[in-house]
Amino acid sequence: MKHRITHGLSPELAKAAAEKAFATYAERFTEYRPVIRWLDATRSQTTFTVKGLTLTGTIEIGPRDIVIDLLVPLLLRPFKSKAIEVIDREIRVWVERARTGQL
C-alpha cells in the first residue's frame, strides 16, 4: 500500500524536505540503521533493519505528492503502520518548514 503526502512545493524543494525528514529520522532512530539512496532526481530506495529483518521501500517525489511505499516482511507487518506514521510526521514537519522558508 502506498502512502501519499501532498506537498504543494516545487519538486526540488519537496525532495529537500524529504531528505531533511529522512536525516532527522535517521538521527533519532539510529538503531534501525536507516539508509536512503537516490536512484534519480525523484526516486529513492530506503532500508531499515528491525529485529534482524530488513524493510525496504521507496520514496518518490511527484509534482504534488511524496509517495512512500514500504515492503515489510510478514513478521514485522504490525509495525508498518507505526513506521509510516513516524515517517509521515517527519515529512509533514519538513514540508511545512519548506513552505514557510525555513529549509
Side-chain angles (χ1 to χ4, degrees), residues 9-42:
L9 303 168
S10 70
E12 296 80 17
L13 202 50
K15 180 180 178 182
E19 288 175 327
K20 288 295 256 179
F22 196 89
T24 301
Y25 180 90
E27 286 176 19
R28 288 180 51 213
F29 299 102
T30 57
E31 68 272 20
Y32 299 134
R33 297 190 306 265
V35 174
I36 188 168
R37 182 173 60 91
W38 288 94
L39 305 172
D40 59 33
T42 61

Side-chain angles (χ1 to χ4, degrees), residues 5 8 29 34 46 57 59 63 66 69 78 84 88 94 96 100-101:
I5 303 166
F29 299 102
T46 59
I59 298 174
I66 297 171
D69 192 15
I84 291 287
D88 177 277
W94 285 100
E96 186 58 29
T100 60

Side-chain angles (χ1 to χ4, degrees), residues 57-71:
T58 59
I59 298 174
E60 292 185 44
I61 310 299
R64 289 183 286 275
D65 299 327
I66 297 171
V67 180
I68 303 165
D69 192 15
L70 288 180
L71 303 172

